[in-house]
């Protein structure tokens, strides 16, 4: 079997899909994207394609090694996301060629389904209580919300009170037994993170996500001691080398690599195993499309430390298209009682509606995250 063609498709609302074709008629799909940099990732895929065309797609580990190590400069969001989408598609081809789901090729499943959570609210965490109620009514047993609006390095306590009021409203709306994740989204600098993380303790959160930016992870050694709430981090880390220090220092309870950012199934599987050795849980990041979710579920299936999965159904970004629009069988992600079943079809377990993908490529997107500023005019983290 030989790779004959690699194509990318920029589709709404903010996704990039990839198709790898072979001379035996078996094709694989991946989702290589950095939100807001989709065209940059597509260009990186095109550059990496020079090596792949003409190769046997089934030699996944060797291809991953060459595509990562074969360039003098390596790693980072664009490179690893391009590699991630390629890797997903190669696993999809391999599974289809053998007639089995990817997780069977990774040693088999340790679970039949995994708990999922629903995003509530938008970029600014107001009026989330009603959204939380609606999510619970749809069967979700866990939700996640943005914790704060923009915060200065040291800010006024009224913004802390606003965060607490929003979280309290959600807790009161859903009761004591629904998991609540609060995402600081990298908006909070260390001085205010120390205040917030302590003040949120009474609400018995499922986790606090990105209490500080990943590049400021040394602050976790101060922050972690201020709370019993699990700390989650990792969507902006891209390889096992990025996670190595985070895990060895022992201040993170949950890691959140993204299978469309962190080198694909091959690399994320290794990161998950590293985390298991440190008794750290896995909650894969995935506010993306159906191919990314399918790839996540294949990793979840065989990762003992996976406990919950992010998914984008109904997320505030998905205005023009939603999670299920690009797949033929919309029941393949079988949501029930707050869980989703692991797809059992060959490869990634989903069938892409290519005609619709090509139709929506004509629309495309130029999605960019908002640019926020503080009252004094300086840049604010989004």
């Amino acid at each position: 079997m030989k790779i004959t063609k690699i194509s990318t498709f920029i589709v709404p609302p903010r996704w990039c899909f990839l198709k790898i074709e072979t001379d035996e008629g078996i094709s694989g799909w991946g989702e290589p994207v950095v939100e807001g940099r989709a065209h940059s990732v597509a260009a990186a895929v095109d550059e990496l394609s020079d090596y792949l065309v003409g190769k046997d797609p089934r030699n996944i580990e060797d291809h991953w090694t060459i595509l990562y190590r074969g360039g003098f400069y390596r790693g980072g969001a664009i490179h690893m996301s391009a590699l991630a989408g390629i890797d997903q598609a190669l696993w999809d081809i391999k599974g289809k060629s053998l007639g089995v789901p990817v997780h069977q090729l990774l040693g088999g499943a340790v679970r039949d389904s995994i708990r999922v959570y629903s995003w509530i609210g938008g970029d600014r965490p107001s009026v989330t209580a009603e959204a939380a109620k609606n999510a619970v009514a749809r069967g979700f047993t866990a939700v996640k919300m943005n914790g704060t609006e923009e915060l200065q390095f040291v800010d006024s306590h009224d913004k802390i009170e606003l965060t607490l009021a929003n979280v309290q409203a959600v807790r009161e709306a859903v009761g004591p037994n629904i998991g609540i994740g609060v995402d600081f989204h990298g908006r909070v600098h260390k001085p205010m993170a120390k205040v917030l993380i302590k003040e949120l303790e009474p609400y018995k959160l499922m986790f606090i996500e990105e209490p500080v930016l990943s590049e400021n992870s040394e602050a976790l050694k101060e922050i972690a001691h201020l709370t019993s709430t699990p700390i989650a981090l990792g969507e902006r880390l891209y390889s096992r080398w990025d996670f190595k220090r985070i895990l060895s220092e022992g201040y993170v309870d949950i890691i959140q690599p993204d299978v469309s950012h962190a080198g694909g199934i091959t690399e994320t599987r290794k990161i998950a195993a590293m985390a298991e050795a440190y008794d750290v849980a896995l909650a894969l990041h995935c506010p993306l499309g159906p191919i990314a979710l399918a790839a996540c579920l294949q990793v979840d299936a065989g990762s003992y430390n996976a406990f919950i999965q992010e998914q984008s159904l109904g997320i505030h970004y998905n205005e023009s298209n939603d999670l299920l629009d690009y797949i033929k069988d919309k029941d393949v992600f079988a949501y029930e009682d707050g869980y989703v079943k692991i797809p059992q079809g060959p490869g990634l377990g989903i069938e892409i509606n290519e005609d619709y993908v090509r139709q929506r490529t004509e629309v495309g997107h130029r999605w960019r995250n908002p640019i926020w500023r503080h009252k004094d005019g300086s840049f604010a983290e989004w």
Side-chain angles (χ1 to χ4, degrees), residues 151-155 187-193 216 374 379:
L151 282 179
Q152 279 278 15
F153 274 81
V154 178
D155 216 318
R187 297 172 184 173
V188 186
H189 299 280
K190 182 177 74 168
M192 299 309 289
N216 298 326
H374 294 296
F379 175 79

Side-chain angles (χ1 to χ4, degrees), residues 4 29 40 69 141 158 192 204 214 248 253 310 357 382:
T4 57
W29 289 83
S40 300
R69 296 182 183 274
T141 62
D158 62 332
M192 299 309 289
K204 295 179 168 53
S214 296
S248 66
D253 307 291
E310 182 175 22
V357 169
W382 164 66

